[in-house]
Amino acid sequence: MAFLHTVANSTTGPRSGLKSRSWTPYLLLAPGLIWLVTFFIFPILSLASTSTMVRPEGAQIGTYVQEFRLANYIDAFQANQEQYLRSFVYAGIATILALAIAYPLAYMIAFKSGKYRNILLVLVVAPFFTSFLLRTVAWTQILGDEGPIVQTLKLLPFVGDSMRLTSTPFAVVSGLTYNFLPFMTLPLYASLERIDPRTLEAAGDLYANGLTTFRKVAVPLSMPGVVAGTLLTFIPAAGDYVNAAILGSPSTKMIGNVIESRFFAIVDYPTAAALSFTLMATILILVTLYIRRSGTDELV
Amino acid sequence: MAGQKVAQDTGDLVLNRVSKLFGDLRAVDDLSLTIPDGSFFALLGPSGCGKTTTLRMIAGLEEPTSGTINIGDTDITTQKPYRRNVNTVFQNYALFPHLTIFENVAFGLRRRGIKDVKGEVDNALALVELGHLAERKPSQLSGGQQQRIAVARAIVNKPKVLLLDEPLGALDLKLRRQMQIELKRIQTEVGITFIHVTHDQEEAMTMADTIAVMNQGKIEQLGSATELYESPRTAFVANFLGQCNLIKAKVQSRSGGKAVVSAKGLNFEIPLTRVSTDSESILMGIRPEKLRLDDHGTNSIKDCVVTDRSFVGTSTQYLVRTPWDLDLVVFEQNDEGLHNLRVGDKVSLEWDPEHTFGLDGSQDVNAGADLDDDE
């Protein structure tokens, strides 16, 4: 900050207001900075410190001391490999499904909706008006044994009477897909909407049929939206525990469920912290690779 | 698509009784037009006159409500745009922002399954003198450069017809002049039909062999720039192309190859060949530069007053009020004959009969006059 004072003092003359003005950037930054330090930097340091703690022999449950035991990470990972892998597989499938559902939807809203555009956009966001938890619970009704989907499927000749959907990977992935769909749709819409419809017409004028125009012009131009949407879906989905808890069974547990139970049920803070960090690191690496590969660094 | 069939017709572009309705709005109204092979043709009109809709129907981006469009013997009315041997230079260019200049220009060739595009793309870029920018992205180019790339991207496909939709609208005046000459050069060089849509009468007159002036979905008049300017047949054309003085008059006699008309007790002569109506009531038209500040001609008005004067470099423009309070515009060349009048000076006006034209008097004197050039 010292240099700002220098700047302020070196400008002589009647512009005395300059000195007070030079503080404006810091004042504007302050609320966000304080917020980040309090609720992000501090907790993350505390989490890092917890992750290497050890419970002394015979100590009470929930009492840990710092011993910088990095092996906590290896232990935690080895014990939960299966849930860890499952989280990424489920999140990956949910992301692909969400993309498949959201792209045509966003495309339609951006190019074909006309005067209904705003209504459709409100409908995309409408689920946010009710609680995430309640909506997920509602899915247990929809997918339940007496629910409309199972009952309808049972009418088919090759579907057995024992068929069920709740407590299956299908239910968890469906829940994830549904819950994160708006996060996919909105960035896709935003980037599709920015495309000048004339570039699509130009492609048609230059001998590209509908499909080629889509492949060669619409898709590349909407890549920033695809990247943003997949990240906004994949990242929270990989760490999610609500869908697996409500719609799944013990055999569909995700890493989020493990962390949750380690923290609140088993009171094993170091393992929970180590798992959280591993999850964060893995996601960061995957995201970096993904952005590099998609070649949209300059577009994002 | 590889090996896709693109029509390879030759011959004139013919629009036959084409109409296009958007809801109740008749954007193009029973329009028939023949555009000769290899010509530089301009569709000129104010915004909303249907010129862009006409262009889009030729491109295949809109389908006519009725009527047919042919190139030579082939009916292309309902042909998909990507099968037409017609390319478009879009307003604001519509270059593909994610592709390099080279790939933008190669786009059409690749879609038609041509593998070796390098030679043709280089030629097209050389034609617009931008070969050195091949590896840039469109966003790195100036407006004028983007405009030329849009032309190269269309022309590389060697279409039968090139459509230009207000291609110079986004450029500043100086660049626009330069591009007008450039486009004219390219057209002469490649020899394909250019159809140029514009609301800028000067642009149309500079570039096109033939101009169709459109108004409310119809063609008002079709002809060369000189014909349209010197012998307009409607008040709209007279006012839309340049400035025009129109005076309401009654025909007294038609004989000896000339019509004698009267207005406010004064008689004027017009060659009969320049009267485009049989009606008794006519609008007598004289271009401002044809009016002289003298009083010994056949057609003259005495006792006028100068009400405004502005110096515009090559000429001085006067606003002169007639004894019956009609304001006429007079351009006088800034040469030795300059009168150098002041506001309030008494003056007489005169002009040659052969510079006068007679239009149907039932028209609005101001039709097409106050339409702004900028959309």
Side-chain angles (χ1 to χ4, degrees):
Chain A
M1 276 180 222
F3 79 96
L4 281 175
H5 284 288
T6 324
V7 171
N9 293 333
S10 68
T11 48
T12 50
R15 301 180 62 192
S16 55
L18 194 64
K19 193 176 171 186
S20 60
R21 237 180 289 147
S22 69
W23 283 98
T24 317
Y26 300 106
L27 283 174
L28 290 173
L29 269 177
L33 222 52
I34 293 168
W35 184 272
L36 265 182
V37 169
T38 320
F39 295 105
F40 182 68
I41 308 283
F42 180 70
I44 217 160
L45 291 176
S46 147
L47 199 66
S49 135
T50 311
S51 71
T52 51
M53 285 184 179
V54 170
R55 183 169 138 203
E57 282 297 323
Q60 246 194 328
I61 289 179
T63 312
Y64 294 95
V65 294
Q66 182 60 274
E67 289 195 5
F68 300 103
R69 187 172 179 276
L70 290 172
N72 275 358
Y73 279 84
I74 297 161
D75 293 350
F77 181 72
Q78 277 175 345
N80 300 291
Q81 270 178 27
E82 194 191 326
Q83 289 86 343
Y84 198 69
L85 183 69
R86 188 180 292 134
S87 294
F88 289 110
V89 171
Y90 283 8
I93 298 174
T95 306
I96 292 166
L97 287 176
L99 181 63
I101 297 168
Y103 203 105
L105 177 66
Y107 194 89
M108 200 281 277
I109 299 176
F111 292 117
K112 314 273 179 198
S113 59
K115 58 179 174 174
Y116 299 108
R117 173 180 292 203
N118 287 337
I119 297 174
L120 288 168
L121 281 175
V122 169
L123 286 178
V124 169
V125 199
F128 290 136
F129 291 109
T130 39
S131 132
F132 175 66
L133 214 57
L134 273 181
R135 281 183 283 123
T136 311
V137 171
W139 271 75
T140 60
Q141 301 288 317
I142 297 167
L143 297 176
D145 293 348
E146 303 303 318
I149 294 176
V150 170
Q151 291 299 320
T152 312
L153 284 176
K154 278 183 179 167
L155 295 175
L156 296 171
F158 49 86
V159 175
D161 266 354
S162 61
M163 144 119 201
R164 56 184 324 218
L165 290 176
T166 42
S167 310
T168 61
F170 174 82
V172 180
V173 173
S174 303
L176 288 170
T177 309
Y178 161 74
N179 274 311
F180 296 108
L181 196 59
F183 298 102
M184 181 68 90
T185 312
L186 293 177
L188 274 178
Y189 165 76
S191 74
L192 283 168
E193 196 257 348
R194 282 216 316 254
I195 299 178
D196 180 355
R198 286 205 199 92
T199 57
L200 303 182
E201 285 184 351
D205 188 68
L206 294 164
Y207 314 109
N209 61 24
L211 188 66
T212 315
T213 300
F214 179 72
R215 260 186 338 113
K216 295 284 181 184
V217 182
V219 170
L221 288 179
S222 62
M223 271 322 274
V226 173
V227 171
T230 46
L231 291 181
L232 284 175
T233 307
F234 182 80
I235 297 171
D240 182 76
Y241 68 95
V242 172
N243 285 284
I246 295 175
L247 298 168
S249 68
S251 66
T252 62
K253 266 194 183 174
M254 293 169 68
I255 199 69
N257 304 87
V258 178
I259 297 172
E260 193 247 353
S261 69
R262 286 278 155 183
F263 258 114
F264 298 112
I266 306 169
V267 202
D268 177 4
Y269 299 143
T271 308
L275 284 172
S276 299
F277 257 100
T278 321
L279 179 68
M280 200 154 64
T282 318
I283 289 177
L284 268 178
I285 293 168
L286 285 176
V287 165
T288 314
L289 289 177
Y290 175 61
I291 292 182
R292 283 263 171 89
R293 251 210 83 132
S294 62
T296 50
D297 340 27
E298 57 176 306
L299 287 172
V300 176
Chain B
M1 290 280 103
Q4 195 171 76
K5 189 193 171 297
V6 173
Q8 293 292 338
D9 326 280
T10 53
D12 301 346
L13 177 76
V14 180
L15 279 75
N16 186 25
R17 309 202 59 182
V18 171
S19 291
K20 176 71 186 178
L21 281 81
F22 294 109
D24 287 338
L25 179 78
R26 204 167 262 278
V28 174
D29 190 4
D30 199 18
L31 180 125
S32 294
L33 189 62
T34 300
I35 298 170
D37 195 12
S39 64
F40 199 130
F41 192 92
L43 281 172
L44 173 68
S47 57
C49 74
K51 58 190 192 299
T52 296
T53 308
T54 307
L55 191 84
R56 288 174 63 84
M57 288 192 288
I58 300 171
L61 299 168
E62 304 281 356
E63 205 175 301
T65 312
S66 64
T68 58
I69 302 171
N70 281 55
I71 295 181
D73 297 330
T74 317
D75 185 345
I76 61 161
T77 315
T78 57
Q79 209 172 42
K80 293 274 185 224
Y82 57 86
R83 293 197 187 283
R84 292 186 190 205
N85 200 9
V86 169
N87 289 111
T88 310
V89 175
F90 288 81
Q91 201 171 6
N92 302 328
Y93 327 131
L95 298 178
F96 304 121
H98 59 299
L99 300 177
T100 60
I101 296 310
F102 184 92
E103 284 305 319
N104 262 282
V105 177
F107 193 91
L109 297 174
R110 291 201 197 282
R111 299 289 84 72
R112 288 187 295 161
I114 297 167
K115 290 278 178 292
D116 187 23
V117 297
K118 180 103 177 62
E120 303 210 31
V121 172
D122 286 348
N123 282 342
L125 286 173
L127 186 70
V128 297
E129 292 162 355
L130 289 177
H132 57 291
L133 298 178
E135 293 315 310
R136 301 264 184 93
K137 289 278 181 72
S139 59
Q140 295 167 293
L141 269 55
S142 71
Q145 291 171 332
Q146 291 188 27
Q147 205 281 331
R148 284 192 272 172
I149 295 304
V151 172
R153 183 178 71 170
I155 246 168
V156 74
N157 303 293
K158 301 194 171 58
K160 262 325 286 170
V161 178
L162 183 76
L163 307 174
L164 302 114
D165 185 7
E166 301 267 5
L168 310 178
L171 305 179
D172 61 51
L173 192 65
K174 209 165 182 181
L175 201 52
R176 213 184 302 168
R177 295 260 186 283
Q178 196 184 320
M179 284 308 301
Q180 287 170 3
I181 298 165
E182 190 90 331
L183 280 176
K184 184 73 195 163
R185 172 184 70 79
I186 292 169
Q187 197 265 339
T188 319
E189 221 160 293
V190 295
I192 58 182
T193 312
F194 273 39
I195 302 176
H196 181 128
V197 156
T198 181
H199 63 272
D200 182 338
Q201 39 103 5
E202 199 182 320
E203 191 173 298
M205 290 202 280
T206 319
M207 296 161 79
D209 311 323
T210 312
I211 302 169
V213 181
M214 279 188 79
N215 184 30
Q216 298 182 339
K218 287 178 181 294
I219 290 178
E220 288 266 335
Q221 191 175 345
L222 188 142
S224 70
T226 324
E227 277 167 42
L228 294 176
Y229 187 79
E230 301 295 354
S231 317
R233 283 205 307 272
T234 66
F236 182 88
V237 175
N239 286 322
F240 194 72
L241 275 89
Q243 279 178 279
C244 195
N245 297 303
L246 292 174
I247 301 169
K248 285 189 174 162
K250 283 258 178 279
V251 177
Q252 300 298 326
S253 69
R254 291 171 195 259
S255 61
K258 64 187 182 188
V260 175
V261 302
S262 72
K264 306 286 171 185
L266 299 170
N267 281 346
F268 306 99
E269 286 180 12
I270 311 175
L272 267 180
T273 49
R274 297 178 57 80
V275 179
S276 59
T277 174
D278 293 329
S279 152
E280 278 300 292
S281 106
I282 67 163
L283 292 175
M284 177 171 65
I286 319 106
R287 293 288 182 186
E289 73 280 7
K290 306 284 172 17
L291 286 173
R292 289 189 301 266
L293 301 166
D294 282 312
D295 64 351
H296 36 68
T298 323
N299 292 342
S300 68
I301 305 172
K302 295 183 173 60
D303 300 324
C304 300
V305 181
V306 175
T307 58
D308 191 42
R309 169 187 197 271
S310 49
F311 177 77
V312 289
T314 56
S315 66
T316 303
Q317 306 190 355
Y318 294 103
L319 211 54
V320 175
R321 185 159 294 169
T322 63
W324 62 94
D325 282 350
L326 179 72
D327 283 333
L328 300 178
V329 185
V330 182
F331 295 168
E332 189 171 55
Q333 279 296 315
N334 286 335
D335 53 21
E336 56 275 14
L338 188 66
H339 284 76
N340 223 345
L341 296 168
R342 304 272 152 221
V343 172
D345 285 358
K346 290 263 181 205
V347 72
S348 293
L349 295 174
E350 58 115 356
W351 64 94
D352 294 339
E354 52 271 27
H355 289 150
T356 321
F357 50 84
L359 310 174
D360 182 19
S362 61
Q363 302 174 85
D364 176 8
V365 174
N366 293 316
D370 293 317
L371 297 159
D372 209 331
D373 266 1
D374 320 285
E375 276 173 280

